[in-house]
Amino acid sequence: MDRIRVVLADDHPIVRAGVKTLLGTDLGIELVGEAGNGAEALSIICGLRPDVAVIDVSMPGINGLDLTERVTRECPGTNLLVLTVHEDVAYVQPLLRAGARGYLLKRSAAEDLPRAVRAIAAGGVYLDPAIASHALADPSGGSRGGDTGEAGEALSPRETEVLRLIAQGFSNKEIARNIDVSVKSVETYKARAAEKLGLRTRSEIIRYGASHGWLDALTLR
Amino acid sequence: MTRLIEGLHGSTDASGAVEERGSLDVGEEVTVPAGQWSRGSVRTFVALAFAAAIPLLLLSGWMATLMAQQQRDQTRSAAVASATRVAERVSSDIASQMEVLGAQAASASLDRPDLAAFYAEATRLKAAHPLWETVELSNPSGVQIVNLLRSLDAELGPTADRESFDAVIRSERPVVGGIGPVGPISGQRRVALRVPVIRSGALRFVLSVGLATNAVSSILRDAGAPEGWVGTIVDGDGNTIARTRAEAQELGHPANPALRAAIMRAPSGFYSGPSLEGPDIDVVYRTLEGTGGWSVHFGMPVAALNAPVARSYYVLAGGSALSFGLALGLVGLVSRDMAQRRSGEQARFSLALRSSEEQGALAVEAAELGTLRWDTAQERAIGSVRAAELLGWDAEASLDRETQADARKMLDAVHEEDRHRLVDAVRHCIADGMPLDEEFRVRGRGGQPRWVRMIGRVPETFKGAPAALIYGVVADIEPRKRIEAERLELLRRLGEAQEDEQRRIARELHDQVGQTVTGLSFGLKGLQGLLEAQGVSGEATDQVQWLRSLAGEIGRDIHRAAVQLRPTALDDLGLREALATLLREWSLRHGIPSDLQFPGEASRLPADIETALYRIVQEALTNILKHAQARTVSVSVERRPDEVRMIVEDDGIGFDAEKGPGPVEDGAAARPHLGLSGIRERLSLLRGTLTLETAPASGTTLFVRIPSPPRSA
């Protein structure tokens, strides 16, 4: 069986040394190249065409996101594993969209790096367990609300109007002034409409509004 | 005052000289009213005298008229009395003579008759009555038998006055005749008194007396006519018997038609008509009894009778005219007096006004304020020199110390970003009567914008009516604005420095410490491998394992600390991802679901705005956790063409916006106010606004608005 050819790109020598040591103990993985910054990494990866490139997202020169995009575009044969200290879910989605196949936290690398490399080399996707729990958990409960409304009870014209203005970002007071009713009435219309459609928060109302094209007039200017 | 200002300005130009004269004028006007007052009191006295004289004049004229009329009436009533007296006198005279005649008619000498005896008796009688001209005796056929003017045996003709004779024959009663025709014997016109001589029931003779022509006149004269009146006695046929004046010509002539008409009308009264002498006369008349229709008339020329009345009318008219003249004079005096009083009042008013204006001007100048009258209907503004300077007017037209400017030109000088706001505020001020207080920039002389503040209002006097006028003061607030701007700049730089520092530390933690810890954990892993390769087990490997987990924890803690200082995702990936992570982590940690919406385009915002919004959400989440007891939190960020709007909403307990923030139950224990003021501070640096909407039990919503430059920038 061929050894998995790996290129490592990280601007920290300590990390590089650690990774080298770790992968050196694994007989199935061969470290074929190293880079200390983004630009170097891009040329080495495209030159060596490894199976897997392990890259840090925050390197001087080209940053991790750009690097991911360029490698994916220019050397499509290489699978990218992001190795990072950023325990920040925010990074996960953009990187995966850009073409990365794995996301591994540096603090768990000592344990999981070989496994992650193998998984990616095999064509799979690897997410650090600490991140995966966050990334998969959706505190908002998914895209509920945007499409439940259709099944619900029909809204009165006033309720629709109030809901539309809420989605467009107006305060209750502004709405009250706008359609010439009391603030209390606006709250009532809002509550009734939200209940009919099963919308609980303003965000859900906004999402509902967006799906009904209520926001186009505001944003497409 | 003026000199003081001139001194301050260090110049004594033409306008200064004008002012100098102006202040002298004021001094003069102080002294003038004293002289005016004494002259005024003389005039007042004269006016009072005039006012008193006018009714006196009118009254005396009226009295004169009344008295004249009374006098005329008295004259007339005296005439009436005279007429009555004369009438009675004449009547009684005639009656007594008729009696004498009646007695003679019954004389025995006429029984047979004894003409000679009768003649002697008659001669005696005639001697006793000087007015008797003659005594005549006629037979019923009218032929005279005896006439004292002739001897007894003389041949006598028919009696002269046939009319009265016939009346006696007809009535067989005494008759007073009128003035008869010229007698054939006497050759004169006489008045005949005739009585019938009746014996044994048959009329034998008619005894007559011929009165001398002037006999009745002498009775009239004796009775006495009032002075100035002309008396006339007229017989039943209307012929004049006697007259007090011009008797000779008038006797026997018929009287005028007015007289006859009056007699026909009534036995006594008045009439007027043309007299025999010519001028119109007023006549009093009375008919005599037992004289066969005689009447007494007293006439006086109308002019003479009415002379005093006419005179009094002249007096009255003259008095009236004089009164009118006096009244005119009085009006003139009073109006002049009023005019002078008014001008005195005005002088005092203007003095008081000027002094109060001076005080106001002093205050305004001391405060370096410009004053302004802005007429929006005519689009004109008039301001002091200072106002013109502050508002950047060209000295278009100088009126004394004021400068006039076209309102549109004035607005042109206002910075275009502030112009609309100023116009709105002015309109609002005029429409609602609200005070005007606006700060705006004006293009200065060097092209540098300069901050000024305009405070004004619609003048009180025009409040009732719709007016288009604003009185205002303009103040230079450039220094204050500069300090404010400096403070804001300082705050901004402080915030920026803080963010930079936090960003640097966060980076440091990630890039240095974090990597070192990573190296440490790799090293420990290697150590573990070595130990395992050497077959060491037990406590040493456990120790290494523990160290590895410790290294992992350190790595996690470092990350957390770095993110709390500043999430690198905010710089690397932008607000959307950073907020998503923030909310996700927050929800996981606190078990409160959250939701984030980014309607519209997901382009990056300017870094300062992203940072501010991120920090605001952080603060809001802190508040929600502390106070709101929310079940869900919802954040939405919307990019509009000209601004960014962010709404942070929770469905917690909210609070009473009137009482101020703080949970209803906890009272003063919690104060999220600090959080809100932090948010406001942050927004003020970006010219953003925060609106809070909340009520007990209905959650809290923060509306954040930050103006942002167009996307291309």
Side-chain angles (χ1 to χ4, degrees), chain B residues 41-57 322-323 326-327 329-330 333-334:
Chain B
S41 64
V42 167
R43 196 169 26 246
T44 311
F45 192 76
V46 171
L48 278 173
F50 277 22
I54 289 169
L56 272 179
L57 276 170
L322 190 56
S323 300
L326 283 179
L330 185 63
L333 278 175
V334 167

mmCIF file of all heavy atoms in Angstrom, chain B residues 41-57 322-323 326-327 329-330 333-334:
data_model
loop_
_atom_site.group_PDB
_atom_site.id
_atom_site.type_symbol
_atom_site.label_atom_id
_atom_site.label_comp_id
_atom_site.label_asym_id
_atom_site.label_seq_id
_atom_site.Cartn_x
_atom_site.Cartn_y
_atom_site.Cartn_z
ATOM 1 N N SER B 41 -50.697 123.562 29.575
ATOM 2 C CA SER B 41 -51.718 123.853 30.586
ATOM 3 C C SER B 41 -52.468 125.136 30.226
ATOM 4 O O SER B 41 -53.662 125.242 30.444
ATOM 5 C CB SER B 41 -51.072 123.956 31.959
ATOM 6 O OG SER B 41 -50.185 125.039 31.981
ATOM 7 N N VAL B 42 -51.751 126.144 29.658
ATOM 8 C CA VAL B 42 -52.409 127.363 29.188
ATOM 9 C C VAL B 42 -53.440 126.997 28.132
ATOM 10 O O VAL B 42 -54.585 127.442 28.164
ATOM 11 C CB VAL B 42 -51.371 128.341 28.593
ATOM 12 C CG1 VAL B 42 -52.088 129.452 27.825
ATOM 13 C CG2 VAL B 42 -50.520 128.920 29.698
ATOM 14 N N ARG B 43 -53.011 126.120 27.267
ATOM 15 C CA ARG B 43 -53.913 125.723 26.200
ATOM 16 C C ARG B 43 -55.128 124.988 26.766
ATOM 17 O O ARG B 43 -56.251 125.202 26.337
ATOM 18 C CB ARG B 43 -53.173 124.836 25.201
ATOM 19 C CG ARG B 43 -53.915 124.727 23.906
ATOM 20 C CD ARG B 43 -53.138 124.105 22.801
ATOM 21 N NE ARG B 43 -52.107 123.228 23.271
ATOM 22 C CZ ARG B 43 -50.818 123.461 23.111
ATOM 23 N NH1 ARG B 43 -50.404 124.512 22.487
ATOM 24 N NH2 ARG B 43 -49.918 122.607 23.551
ATOM 25 N N THR B 44 -54.865 124.191 27.764
ATOM 26 C CA THR B 44 -55.972 123.468 28.400
ATOM 27 C C THR B 44 -56.970 124.452 28.990
ATOM 28 O O THR B 44 -58.182 124.317 28.864
ATOM 29 C CB THR B 44 -55.432 122.562 29.510
ATOM 30 O OG1 THR B 44 -54.357 121.824 28.997
ATOM 31 C CG2 THR B 44 -56.513 121.632 30.022
ATOM 32 N N PHE B 45 -56.429 125.549 29.648
ATOM 33 C CA PHE B 45 -57.283 126.555 30.250
ATOM 34 C C PHE B 45 -58.143 127.236 29.197
ATOM 35 O O PHE B 45 -59.352 127.389 29.353
ATOM 36 C CB PHE B 45 -56.390 127.593 30.954
ATOM 37 C CG PHE B 45 -57.156 128.516 31.846
ATOM 38 C CD1 PHE B 45 -57.609 128.058 33.082
ATOM 39 C CD2 PHE B 45 -57.430 129.808 31.458
ATOM 40 C CE1 PHE B 45 -58.324 128.903 33.894
ATOM 41 C CE2 PHE B 45 -58.155 130.643 32.270
ATOM 42 C CZ PHE B 45 -58.601 130.201 33.497
ATOM 43 N N VAL B 46 -57.513 127.619 28.105
ATOM 44 C CA VAL B 46 -58.230 128.260 27.006
ATOM 45 C C VAL B 46 -59.314 127.331 26.481
ATOM 46 O O VAL B 46 -60.451 127.730 26.236
ATOM 47 C CB VAL B 46 -57.243 128.639 25.872
ATOM 48 C CG1 VAL B 46 -58.014 129.099 24.636
ATOM 49 C CG2 VAL B 46 -56.310 129.732 26.345
ATOM 50 N N ALA B 47 -58.943 126.080 26.351
ATOM 51 C CA ALA B 47 -59.902 125.111 25.829
ATOM 52 C C ALA B 47 -61.091 125.001 26.762
ATOM 53 O O ALA B 47 -62.247 124.946 26.328
ATOM 54 C CB ALA B 47 -59.221 123.749 25.676
ATOM 55 N N LEU B 48 -60.836 125.034 28.067
ATOM 56 C CA LEU B 48 -61.930 124.951 29.044
ATOM 57 C C LEU B 48 -62.826 126.182 28.922
ATOM 58 O O LEU B 48 -64.056 126.075 28.954
ATOM 59 C CB LEU B 48 -61.353 124.872 30.460
ATOM 60 C CG LEU B 48 -60.905 123.480 30.895
ATOM 61 C CD1 LEU B 48 -60.212 123.551 32.227
ATOM 62 C CD2 LEU B 48 -62.131 122.568 30.979
ATOM 63 N N ALA B 49 -62.208 127.366 28.781
ATOM 64 C CA ALA B 49 -62.979 128.602 28.632
ATOM 65 C C ALA B 49 -63.856 128.523 27.396
ATOM 66 O O ALA B 49 -65.047 128.876 27.435
ATOM 67 C CB ALA B 49 -62.014 129.789 28.534
ATOM 68 N N PHE B 50 -63.284 128.054 26.316
ATOM 69 C CA PHE B 50 -64.053 127.885 25.082
ATOM 70 C C PHE B 50 -65.233 126.964 25.339
ATOM 71 O O PHE B 50 -66.370 127.256 24.963
ATOM 72 C CB PHE B 50 -63.167 127.272 23.986
ATOM 73 C CG PHE B 50 -62.327 128.271 23.252
ATOM 74 C CD1 PHE B 50 -62.036 129.503 23.831
ATOM 75 C CD2 PHE B 50 -61.835 127.998 21.995
ATOM 76 C CE1 PHE B 50 -61.269 130.430 23.167
ATOM 77 C CE2 PHE B 50 -61.068 128.921 21.318
ATOM 78 C CZ PHE B 50 -60.776 130.145 21.910
ATOM 79 N N ALA B 51 -64.943 125.859 25.975
ATOM 80 C CA ALA B 51 -65.980 124.851 26.206
ATOM 81 C C ALA B 51 -67.098 125.447 27.044
ATOM 82 O O ALA B 51 -68.270 125.142 26.860
ATOM 83 C CB ALA B 51 -65.376 123.644 26.900
ATOM 84 N N ALA B 52 -66.752 126.321 28.012
ATOM 85 C CA ALA B 52 -67.780 126.936 28.842
ATOM 86 C C ALA B 52 -68.547 127.995 28.059
ATOM 87 O O ALA B 52 -69.742 128.170 28.254
ATOM 88 C CB ALA B 52 -67.123 127.558 30.073
ATOM 89 N N ALA B 53 -67.853 128.722 27.175
ATOM 90 C CA ALA B 53 -68.480 129.830 26.449
ATOM 91 C C ALA B 53 -69.513 129.335 25.450
ATOM 92 O O ALA B 53 -70.520 129.991 25.226
ATOM 93 C CB ALA B 53 -67.398 130.642 25.732
ATOM 94 N N ILE B 54 -69.261 128.216 24.869
ATOM 95 C CA ILE B 54 -70.153 127.734 23.809
ATOM 96 C C ILE B 54 -71.582 127.564 24.310
ATOM 97 O O ILE B 54 -72.512 128.161 23.761
ATOM 98 C CB ILE B 54 -69.605 126.433 23.212
ATOM 99 C CG1 ILE B 54 -68.355 126.749 22.395
ATOM 100 C CG2 ILE B 54 -70.637 125.734 22.333
ATOM 101 C CD1 ILE B 54 -67.577 125.531 21.980
ATOM 102 N N PRO B 55 -71.852 126.845 25.392
ATOM 103 C CA PRO B 55 -73.248 126.732 25.852
ATOM 104 C C PRO B 55 -73.812 128.061 26.328
ATOM 105 O O PRO B 55 -74.998 128.350 26.123
ATOM 106 C CB PRO B 55 -73.154 125.725 26.998
ATOM 107 C CG PRO B 55 -71.731 125.664 27.382
ATOM 108 C CD PRO B 55 -70.924 126.029 26.174
ATOM 109 N N LEU B 56 -72.972 128.925 26.933
ATOM 110 C CA LEU B 56 -73.455 130.234 27.379
ATOM 111 C C LEU B 56 -73.972 131.041 26.200
ATOM 112 O O LEU B 56 -75.069 131.615 26.248
ATOM 113 C CB LEU B 56 -72.317 131.000 28.055
ATOM 114 C CG LEU B 56 -72.160 130.739 29.553
ATOM 115 C CD1 LEU B 56 -70.991 131.521 30.094
ATOM 116 C CD2 LEU B 56 -73.448 131.121 30.265
ATOM 117 N N LEU B 57 -73.176 131.061 25.152
ATOM 118 C CA LEU B 57 -73.554 131.805 23.952
ATOM 119 C C LEU B 57 -74.856 131.282 23.385
ATOM 120 O O LEU B 57 -75.789 132.036 23.090
ATOM 121 C CB LEU B 57 -72.456 131.686 22.893
ATOM 122 C CG LEU B 57 -71.289 132.679 23.044
ATOM 123 C CD1 LEU B 57 -70.176 132.304 22.107
ATOM 124 C CD2 LEU B 57 -71.801 134.086 22.745
ATOM 125 N N LEU B 322 -70.653 132.039 16.329
ATOM 126 C CA LEU B 322 -69.509 132.231 17.215
ATOM 127 C C LEU B 322 -69.183 130.939 17.954
ATOM 128 O O LEU B 322 -68.009 130.537 18.088
ATOM 129 C CB LEU B 322 -69.834 133.358 18.199
ATOM 130 C CG LEU B 322 -68.660 133.858 19.045
ATOM 131 C CD1 LEU B 322 -67.523 134.308 18.150
ATOM 132 C CD2 LEU B 322 -69.114 134.986 19.966
ATOM 133 N N SER B 323 -70.268 130.259 18.421
ATOM 134 C CA SER B 323 -70.070 128.994 19.122
ATOM 135 C C SER B 323 -69.368 127.984 18.225
ATOM 136 O O SER B 323 -68.451 127.274 18.655
ATOM 137 C CB SER B 323 -71.408 128.392 19.549
ATOM 138 O OG SER B 323 -72.059 129.286 20.390
ATOM 139 N N LEU B 326 -65.914 128.843 18.039
ATOM 140 C CA LEU B 326 -65.241 128.456 19.279
ATOM 141 C C LEU B 326 -65.022 126.952 19.317
ATOM 142 O O LEU B 326 -63.959 126.469 19.733
ATOM 143 C CB LEU B 326 -66.078 128.887 20.484
ATOM 144 C CG LEU B 326 -66.014 130.362 20.841
ATOM 145 C CD1 LEU B 326 -66.903 130.648 22.042
ATOM 146 C CD2 LEU B 326 -64.580 130.789 21.154
ATOM 147 N N ALA B 327 -66.072 126.224 18.866
ATOM 148 C CA ALA B 327 -65.969 124.758 18.888
ATOM 149 C C ALA B 327 -64.828 124.311 17.993
ATOM 150 O O ALA B 327 -64.029 123.441 18.365
ATOM 151 C CB ALA B 327 -67.286 124.129 18.416
ATOM 152 N N GLY B 329 -62.254 126.050 17.211
ATOM 153 C CA GLY B 329 -61.012 126.391 17.908
ATOM 154 C C GLY B 329 -60.703 125.379 18.989
ATOM 155 O O GLY B 329 -59.557 124.938 19.158
ATOM 156 N N LEU B 330 -61.767 124.975 19.719
ATOM 157 C CA LEU B 330 -61.590 124.003 20.804
ATOM 158 C C LEU B 330 -61.068 122.689 20.250
ATOM 159 O O LEU B 330 -60.125 122.098 20.792
ATOM 160 C CB LEU B 330 -62.942 123.804 21.490
ATOM 161 C CG LEU B 330 -62.939 122.915 22.728
ATOM 162 C CD1 LEU B 330 -62.087 123.524 23.807
ATOM 163 C CD2 LEU B 330 -64.361 122.714 23.224
ATOM 164 N N LEU B 333 -57.558 123.081 19.410
ATOM 165 C CA LEU B 333 -56.720 123.113 20.609
ATOM 166 C C LEU B 333 -56.549 121.707 21.190
ATOM 167 O O LEU B 333 -55.434 121.261 21.484
ATOM 168 C CB LEU B 333 -57.366 124.002 21.666
ATOM 169 C CG LEU B 333 -57.132 125.498 21.524
ATOM 170 C CD1 LEU B 333 -57.934 126.238 22.572
ATOM 171 C CD2 LEU B 333 -55.645 125.807 21.696
ATOM 172 N N VAL B 334 -57.713 121.019 21.320
ATOM 173 C CA VAL B 334 -57.675 119.706 21.950
ATOM 174 C C VAL B 334 -56.853 118.745 21.115
ATOM 175 O O VAL B 334 -56.002 117.995 21.625
ATOM 176 C CB VAL B 334 -59.113 119.167 22.148
ATOM 177 C CG1 VAL B 334 -59.086 117.688 22.499
ATOM 178 C CG2 VAL B 334 -59.806 119.950 23.237
#
